[in-house]
Amino acid sequence: MERVELAYIEDEMRESYINYAMSVILGRAIPDVRDGLKPVQRRILYGMYKLGLDSSKPHRKAARIVGEVMGKFHPHGDQAIYDALVNMAQPFAFRYPLIDGQGNFGSIDGDEPAAMRYTEARLSRLSEELLSEIEEETVDFGPNFDDSLEEPLVLPARLPNLLLNGSWGIAVGMTTQIPPHNLGEVIDALVHLLKSPAAPLEELMRFIKGPDFPTGGIIVGREEIERAYLTGSGQIAVRARAEIEEDRIVISEIPFQVRKSTLLESIARKVREEEITEIADLRDESDRRGLRVVIELKRGANPRAVLSRLYKSTPLEWTFGANFLVIVSGQPRRLSLKETLQEFINFRRAVVRRRTEHRLREAERRAHILEGFLKALEHRAEVVEWISAARDAAEAQARLQVELELSELQAEEILKMRLRSFTGLEREKLAEEFKELGRALAEYKRILASPARLDEVIETELLEIKERYSDPRRTEISLDAGELAETDLEELIPDEDLLVTITEQGYVNAPREDVYRTQNRGGKGVIGMRLREGDRLRGIFTANSRDWILLFTDAHKVYKLRAFQLPSLRRDARGENLRGLAELGNQERIVSLLPLKELDPQDRRYCLLATARGMIICNPLRNYHNAHTKGITALRALPEDQVVQVAISPGKGEVLLGSERGRTIRFAERSVRLSERPSRGVIGMRLDPGDRVVGMVLLRPEERDGYALFVTERGFGKRTPLGEFQPQGRGGKGVLGIKVTKKTGKVVALERVGEEDELLVTTEAGKTIRIPASSIRIVSRYAQGVKLIDLEPGDRVASVVKI
């Protein structure tokens, strides 16, 4: 018995939930493909129509309208009705507002509208086109919520409101997000589809260029528009319209559905958190004439670079997730653009057919009556005599039917005639009306008999609507996103050298190289990148602002970026997290960075990777051409192993590896087997337990002179002539390169330097010192070196970079 009751409850819950879900989908959230309206919107427009609030009448209090709609058609709360009414009146929410509002109906800033007792409304001219044929039996009606009245199940809709104003809503398990479009473009596409039903999407997109948002803006890229139109779903990137005026950026249009206040707060937060330091002032100068946001820049700032970063990190660029989900024949369906247009054409054919049938019936009835009138006028003297002699109206009606061979309707209408109809002028008017009705009847029958003629009527009416309401496109459609990025790339950032600083938690800053001035060896250095609590500096690298950057991580992956994408903040800024630029895992850390002038799939050079456990890997550089911000696998290594350094080589030199205990090994690069990415590599250096490789230097044939620079974690360093490191076979334990003691600490960096080079030594606490390589003592392989930087207690050297 218990099992039976449990099964019954489960069935009841399942059925009830399905019923609830379908009620939300059909009754609240998803628009009908025919008139593009949700039920609450349709009921508001119909309620206003019944109140006689057309565009030529005075506005009426919104509270009166809300009460009418709630009491008769939509018993779901006054605030829900008022919110929908307000939305249809907002010119920044609807491309073609369906309600003409008077009073405070909110703003693009996100300000709330005034209470319904203060605002007034009436139908707009455009909404009258949705309702104009409703009295001609064009659509079906159904009972309202209490069966006391009838309401239309759909509006006749002489225009494609679904595409013109779009729609958005969240139902149970599904959402809809349809962008608005330009009226003229949509009507041109409908007319073309009427004439060419087999027209492909490419032809329709000659007319409909893309969405046309009420707030304007710039759509970046056509590919996603095509995807959305083809599949019914796509991610359309929309940018604000911004102009550069000397040392300022002026924003005149913002992306659709982005609040101006939210945009301003986002920009201000970036400035406050020092993620964008070039902004001096932010002002909202918007007024009745339009939107205007002014961003004042500091002297020397690059406006295009700042604008590019604002697009990337604020709602100045916004992604509109298009999802053409609508109700079709009582069921939710995702439609393509062509299917959406075809559904509207099919609906208009049904509406025009029903309207024509109604008009035919009315015309036939009127013609029948006029035929009786004309007979009566031919015998007007007898008609007057017969009516005068009759005892009552029934007898008069019967006499007329017999004498003139009239129908009951004709005789009844004759009895209602006024005496003035017997004048000559009135007789002429009736005769002319009868002729006009004859022509109208012939036309109605021709429309009903010929589908081609029916389509001609629809086309004519659509073109008339276009003539009355069409306006210029507001939203510009720009180049493909990738093409735009390549076009703008070289102009966004000046050709300058950067010092890229990366922390253990993935924060990065890339100021210009010249922000670090040269100091004497042994100084305390200056504050570099400020670190967050618990974070440590991981490394510092040099790159040009126009370089490609390959980022290698401890997850054995490689990511590709452009250097100009990295935040170039003040020397002591906290930086931005790389996870905003590349899709790194939560625990993934950057271990090496490789700048490249270009990344050509035809490049014949090689990429050498040295790992902490002494492995060395040689891959063709072209293997890394397809790296991207989502990352690709760089090598197949043990989980505890990781890349420590990466270099590019033509393949004809030698390799010098150094370990943290001071061991070094020098061998020919040709002894490293070439392999395709990803691979495990070969043994470059055999290590004692607890030791690890910390650096790799490539010695090209023309660069075999010079010095090997060793720097230890406690700030000691030395130069040793490269000639003291004799070549040997790959895979050995090597020779001593520097004497490591408790005083010096472990080796953290190995570099090849010349007399004219300069070095940046950076500590884990963020201190940086810039010193000439010539100031560092030249000593043998067995010496421990001299102090390069004076460290604070507990601080250690994190990295060394040659500049």
Side-chain angles (χ1 to χ4, degrees):
M1 184 65 182
E2 290 180 359
R3 286 196 299 271
V4 172
E5 288 180 356
L6 182 61
Y8 173 77
I9 291 172
E10 288 177 349
D11 293 341
E12 180 65 27
M13 290 294 292
R14 184 182 300 107
E15 183 177 349
S16 297
Y17 187 77
I18 291 173
N19 291 338
Y20 162 73
M22 289 305 296
S23 174
V24 173
I25 292 167
L26 301 178
R28 296 193 187 184
I30 310 299
D32 193 295
V33 70
R34 297 169 291 179
D35 61 7
L37 297 171
K38 302 177 194 177
V40 65
Q41 296 171 328
R42 187 179 302 117
R43 289 163 179 167
I44 290 171
L45 296 181
Y46 183 65
M48 295 177 71
Y49 169 78
K50 296 302 285 184
L51 285 172
L53 298 179
D54 59 56
S55 61
S56 62
K57 300 294 175 56
H59 294 80
R60 188 78 65 86
K61 283 290 184 183
R64 173 71 177 84
I65 300 169
V66 170
E68 176 81 5
V69 174
M70 184 170 63
K72 291 184 176 179
F73 308 115
H74 197 77
H76 294 294
D78 58 346
Q79 193 58 47
I81 298 171
Y82 185 54
D83 288 346
L85 184 151
V86 166
N87 191 244
M88 288 191 286
Q90 292 174 327
F92 53 86
F94 267 51
R95 179 64 176 82
Y96 300 93
L98 299 179
I99 290 178
D100 178 13
Q102 183 170 274
N104 176 13
F105 276 79
S107 73
I108 198 170
D109 273 330
D111 298 324
E112 294 296 325
M116 67 181 77
R117 62 183 179 274
Y118 298 120
T119 56
E120 298 178 340
R122 64 183 178 186
L123 293 172
S124 70
R125 290 177 57 212
L126 207 74
S127 62
E128 291 175 0
E129 303 290 350
L130 298 175
L131 292 151
S132 61
E133 301 162 347
I134 201 165
E135 305 291 349
E136 298 186 85
E137 300 180 15
T138 50
V139 293
D140 294 331
F141 279 67
N144 69 340
F145 62 90
D146 62 358
D147 292 339
S148 62
L149 296 169
E150 286 200 327
E151 61 176 318
L153 302 182
V154 66
L155 299 187
R158 298 185 67 192
L159 41 80
N161 178 62
L162 179 69
L163 287 174
L164 299 188
N165 281 316
S167 187
W168 51 95
I170 301 174
V172 179
M174 58 184 66
T175 62
T176 186
Q177 182 91 326
I178 301 171
H181 293 78
N182 183 269
L183 183 146
E185 293 181 3
V186 173
I187 287 181
D188 286 342
L190 284 169
V191 170
H192 182 74
L193 193 59
L194 271 169
K195 296 177 179 178
S196 306
L201 177 64
E202 292 76 15
E203 287 186 21
L204 297 177
M205 287 191 67
R206 292 210 309 264
F207 304 99
I208 301 178
K209 312 298 183 186
D212 189 23
F213 298 111
T215 55
I218 301 170
I219 294 176
V220 182
R222 294 187 179 91
E223 183 179 344
E224 282 298 322
I225 297 176
E226 293 176 5
R227 181 179 290 110
Y229 285 169
L230 182 64
T231 67
S233 178
Q235 302 294 316
I236 300 172
V238 187
R239 284 182 172 178
R241 185 177 298 278
E243 303 292 336
I244 295 174
E245 300 177 358
E246 297 180 351
D247 290 334
R248 64 172 58 176
I249 299 171
V250 179
I251 301 167
S252 56
E253 296 173 2
I254 63 176
F256 183 51
Q257 295 180 340
V258 172
R259 293 181 175 182
K260 176 156 59 78
S261 56
T262 301
L263 176 63
L264 294 173
E265 289 168 5
S266 176
I267 296 173
R269 185 168 57 252
K270 293 294 179 183
V271 175
R272 191 166 52 250
E273 294 176 356
E274 299 182 348
E275 295 183 19
I276 300 178
T277 59
E278 296 90 342
I279 294 177
D281 191 22
L282 177 65
R283 296 193 308 275
D284 183 5
E285 298 181 356
S286 305
D287 54 23
R288 291 181 180 274
R289 292 172 294 179
L291 185 144
R292 179 179 169 88
V293 174
V294 179
I295 302 172
E296 295 282 357
L297 303 180
K298 295 178 181 178
R299 182 176 299 177
N302 186 326
R304 290 184 64 81
V306 175
L307 181 57
S308 176
R309 290 172 59 194
L310 287 172
Y311 279 141
K312 290 178 174 62
S313 59
T314 72
L316 214 58
E317 180 174 313
W318 187 258
T319 299
F320 184 93
N323 187 24
F324 287 71
L325 182 73
V326 292
I327 301 299
V328 182
S329 302
Q331 298 294 326
R333 279 184 56 196
R334 180 182 289 118
L335 301 182
S336 66
L337 175 68
K338 182 177 179 180
E339 289 172 330
T340 304
L341 294 170
Q342 191 62 58
E343 287 290 339
F344 179 75
I345 289 174
N346 295 341
F347 174 60
R348 280 305 294 169
R349 283 172 176 159
V351 167
V352 172
R353 178 172 292 280
R354 290 180 64 166
R355 181 190 71 190
T356 305
E357 290 171 348
H358 171 80
R359 291 178 179 178
L360 177 62
R361 289 192 299 270
E362 292 297 311
E364 287 175 338
R365 184 178 184 278
R366 180 61 179 169
H368 182 62
I369 293 171
L370 288 178
E371 188 179 10
F373 283 171
L374 294 174
K375 281 186 179 180
L377 291 174
E378 290 176 6
H379 304 84
R380 56 185 178 278
E382 292 92 335
V383 168
V384 171
E385 182 182 342
W386 294 333
I387 294 174
S388 300
R391 290 177 301 174
D392 54 26
E395 184 180 332
Q397 180 177 328
R399 181 75 181 272
L400 289 172
Q401 287 182 245
V402 172
E403 296 293 345
L404 298 178
E405 297 181 352
L406 302 175
S407 68
E408 181 179 344
L409 174 62
Q410 288 174 321
E412 183 180 349
E413 291 296 324
I414 290 171
L415 290 176
K416 295 178 183 177
M417 288 178 68
R418 297 181 180 182
L419 286 175
R420 70 180 183 186
S421 300
F422 288 89
T423 64
L425 185 60
E426 290 293 327
R427 289 200 305 271
E428 290 177 8
K429 287 182 179 180
L430 291 173
E432 184 62 32
E433 183 184 354
F434 186 73
K435 290 180 182 178
E436 288 293 332
L437 279 173
R439 288 191 287 268
L441 285 167
E443 175 62 17
Y444 296 150
K445 291 175 181 177
R446 187 158 56 248
I447 291 172
L448 294 174
S450 170
R453 178 57 186 149
L454 183 74
D455 285 354
E456 287 177 9
V457 172
I458 295 172
E459 178 185 343
T460 301
E461 292 176 352
L462 287 172
L463 292 175
E464 288 174 354
I465 289 174
K466 177 186 174 183
E467 181 69 24
R468 286 199 294 271
Y469 302 109
S470 181
D471 61 352
R473 164 176 278 278
R474 298 182 188 176
T475 301
E476 177 186 340
I477 299 176
S478 186
L479 303 170
D480 291 339
E483 185 180 348
L484 181 69
E486 292 298 325
T487 301
D488 288 353
L489 179 60
E490 302 305 324
E491 301 177 7
L492 286 175
I493 301 269
D495 185 1
E496 57 189 15
D497 293 326
L498 306 175
L499 282 173
V500 183
T501 308
I502 296 179
T503 75
E504 194 169 74
Q505 294 180 4
Y507 288 89
V508 62
N509 185 22
R512 296 194 312 273
E513 177 191 307
D514 58 13
V515 299
Y516 295 95
R517 65 179 185 275
T518 304
Q519 297 174 265
N520 294 325
R521 176 178 60 80
K524 288 182 174 289
V526 296
I527 294 294
M529 182 175 174
R530 291 189 182 275
L531 303 176
R532 289 162 173 80
E533 185 176 353
D535 201 4
R536 295 188 303 173
L537 205 64
R538 193 63 183 256
I540 187 166
F541 310 88
T542 58
N544 187 274
S545 56
R546 298 181 179 181
D547 285 350
W548 287 99
I549 302 289
L550 294 181
L551 300 172
F552 293 82
T553 74
D554 58 2
H556 303 159
K557 297 180 72 174
V558 58
Y559 300 80
K560 183 171 72 174
L561 298 172
R562 293 300 294 264
F564 80 89
Q565 294 178 278
L566 302 175
S568 185
L569 310 177
R570 293 198 321 265
R571 182 195 69 204
D572 58 346
R574 292 180 181 271
E576 294 181 11
N577 201 301
L578 270 173
R579 286 167 180 78
L581 302 173
E583 298 182 22
L584 279 70
N586 290 335
Q587 303 301 320
E588 198 169 356
R589 299 288 183 263
I590 303 295
V591 294
S592 189
L593 180 150
L594 180 64
L596 296 168
K597 294 297 179 187
E598 57 184 21
L599 201 51
D600 188 344
Q602 305 302 320
D603 201 318
R604 298 300 182 89
R605 294 179 298 170
Y606 305 98
C607 181
L608 287 178
L609 297 86
T611 77
R613 294 176 66 93
M615 304 299 290
I616 188 160
I617 302 161
C618 181
N619 300 143
L621 183 57
R622 56 178 167 76
N623 282 186
Y624 298 88
H625 177 264
N626 64 340
H628 44 68
T629 56
K630 292 186 178 180
I632 59 173
T633 302
L635 70 157
R636 298 192 184 281
L638 296 174
E640 63 272 17
D641 199 6
Q642 64 184 37
V643 173
V644 294
Q645 198 153 352
V646 185
I648 301 301
S649 171
K652 300 178 181 179
E654 293 179 317
V655 178
L656 178 67
L657 295 179
S659 78
E660 64 181 14
R661 291 188 178 178
R663 303 294 296 182
T664 61
I665 187 170
R666 178 175 176 176
F667 55 85
E669 186 181 341
R670 64 176 179 272
S671 67
V672 181
R673 184 175 66 251
L674 178 66
S675 57
E676 296 292 322
R677 177 198 65 81
S679 57
R680 296 183 183 276
V682 296
I683 298 175
M685 182 179 188
R686 295 190 184 276
L687 301 170
D688 291 331
D691 199 4
R692 64 190 300 274
V693 170
V694 294
M696 173 179 65
V697 172
L698 293 186
L699 305 175
R700 296 180 176 87
E702 68 275 12
E703 297 178 340
R704 292 184 181 178
D705 293 332
Y707 306 93
L709 170 74
F710 294 86
V711 180
T712 70
E713 62 183 352
R714 297 191 182 278
F716 285 79
K718 71 166 187 175
R719 289 187 296 160
T720 299
L722 287 170
E724 293 194 21
F725 302 90
Q726 294 301 313
Q728 60 183 98
R730 174 185 58 79
K733 288 196 172 186
V735 298
L736 187 67
I738 182 174
K739 184 178 180 182
V740 173
T741 65
K742 289 184 178 181
K743 180 181 177 181
T744 62
K746 299 174 182 177
V747 177
V748 294
L750 170 64
E751 285 282 352
R752 178 198 172 277
V753 294
E755 289 292 339
E756 297 180 355
D757 289 329
E758 289 189 324
L759 303 169
L760 271 183
V761 181
T762 307
T763 75
E764 291 181 350
K767 288 287 187 72
T768 301
I769 187 171
R770 179 172 180 169
I771 57 175
S774 59
S775 69
I776 302 174
R777 185 180 301 172
I778 301 172
V779 292
S780 69
R781 291 193 291 113
Y782 303 98
Q784 66 179 17
V786 295
K787 181 166 283 192
L788 304 183
I789 183 171
D790 187 14
L791 299 174
E792 299 289 341
D795 198 7
R796 297 186 302 176
V797 171
S799 66
V800 178
V801 63
K802 180 176 65 174
I803 57 178

